[in-house]
Amino acid sequence: MATWIWVLIAVAAVVVLAAMVLGGRRARQKRVGQQREEAQELRQEAQQRHRRAKEREDLSQELAERAKSERKEADKVAARAARVDPDRN
């Protein structure tokens, strides 16, 4: 075989190898970009869930405080009823 054929084969091999390397890099960059986007979406979802959980915790504390207050008021009314009750021994 002539030398120019070997040179042409070597150049073609280098071009194919370079194309494979560049393609691999682009694929990796694309994959990393997709992973970053997914991570950002997951972070946003986590923040929303934390916010909703905090709102629910606040609401439950408020309801518990209301229930405690109503219970105290009911106890006062029950005590008054017991004092007023003529059938009480």
Side-chain angles (χ1 to χ4, degrees), residues 69-86:
S69 174
E70 289 178 19
R71 194 175 306 117
K72 283 183 182 180
E73 194 62 34
D75 289 343
K76 287 179 187 178
V77 172
R80 184 166 179 236
R83 285 191 312 266
V84 173
D85 188 3

Side-chain angles (χ1 to χ4, degrees), residues 20-88:
M20 288 174 58
V21 168
L22 288 177
R25 283 185 181 172
R26 285 185 184 149
R28 183 176 183 274
Q29 288 175 347
K30 182 178 178 181
R31 186 175 58 250
V32 168
Q34 289 172 340
Q35 289 172 338
R36 285 185 179 132
E37 288 177 17
E38 182 181 2
Q40 182 62 29
E41 290 172 4
L42 290 171
R43 282 187 199 99
Q44 288 175 350
E45 181 182 348
Q47 287 176 346
Q48 290 173 350
R49 287 179 183 235
H50 280 285
R51 200 173 312 123
R52 281 193 307 256
K54 176 67 174 147
E55 290 171 1
R56 289 178 180 158
E57 286 173 352
D58 292 344
L59 179 60
S60 80
Q61 286 177 355
E62 180 182 336
L63 291 173
E65 289 172 6
R66 281 188 202 171
K68 187 176 181 180
S69 174
E70 289 178 19
R71 194 175 306 117
K72 283 183 182 180
E73 194 62 34
D75 289 343
K76 287 179 187 178
V77 172
R80 184 166 179 236
R83 285 191 312 266
V84 173
D85 188 3
D87 297 329
R88 193 179 99 190

